[in-house]
Amino acid sequence: TVQRLVGYSVLPHRDDAGSPEHERSSQRRVVNSVEAVGRRLLGNKPCLTQALVAQRLMRQRGYDSVLRIGVAKDGGELLAHAWLERGGRVIIGGGASPVRYKPLAPVQSGAA
């Protein structure tokens, strides 16, 4: 629902020739920006918001990604966490997330 509200139906565009270095640089800028703003505005529980914003920004640049939401138990407490993956690698949300949390069904960036 959130993805639909923020306009995932807009067709992505790429402003480069698909160079891997440009893609990595663009990805780094998105992640650094989202994390910096998240620390200032979202307090200590920014994972889902950051993952959604990063996914949207990556999609605007023409790069697909996968939103992952996972769960874990810590004693009797159920924990949830969100992170974003691209090409099988975690790009925001902590590299250990897939190990610590059991992922639920993935959410593709083009999902309606």
Side-chain angles (χ1 to χ4, degrees):
T1 300
V2 172
Q3 288 177 325
R4 223 178 5 258
L5 291 173
V6 295
Y8 276 98
S9 61
V10 174
L11 293 175
H13 69 281
R14 285 195 182 177
D15 55 3
D16 68 332
S19 91
E21 182 51 42
H22 185 274
E23 181 178 337
R24 283 190 297 275
S25 175
S26 181
Q27 181 176 299
R28 272 193 306 273
R29 283 193 307 276
V30 166
V31 169
N32 290 342
S33 298
V34 169
E35 287 178 339
V37 171
R39 282 191 299 273
R40 288 171 181 77
L41 298 178
L42 301 173
N44 64 351
K45 301 212 186 263
C47 64
L48 181 57
T49 303
Q50 284 187 353
L52 285 167
V53 170
Q55 187 179 44
R56 175 66 173 145
L57 293 173
M58 293 291 289
R59 179 78 174 155
Q60 282 180 324
R61 285 158 180 75
Y63 305 119
D64 287 327
S65 57
V66 179
L67 173 66
R68 297 279 188 178
I69 299 174
V71 295
K73 277 196 105 167
D74 184 15
E77 186 178 6
L78 182 64
L79 305 174
H81 182 59
W83 63 96
L84 193 65
E85 294 180 357
R86 173 156 171 74
R89 291 182 38 242
V90 176
I91 61 171
I92 193 166
S97 298
V99 174
R100 181 166 184 217
Y101 296 90
K102 179 173 177 51
L104 304 175
V107 181
Q108 296 294 124
S109 64

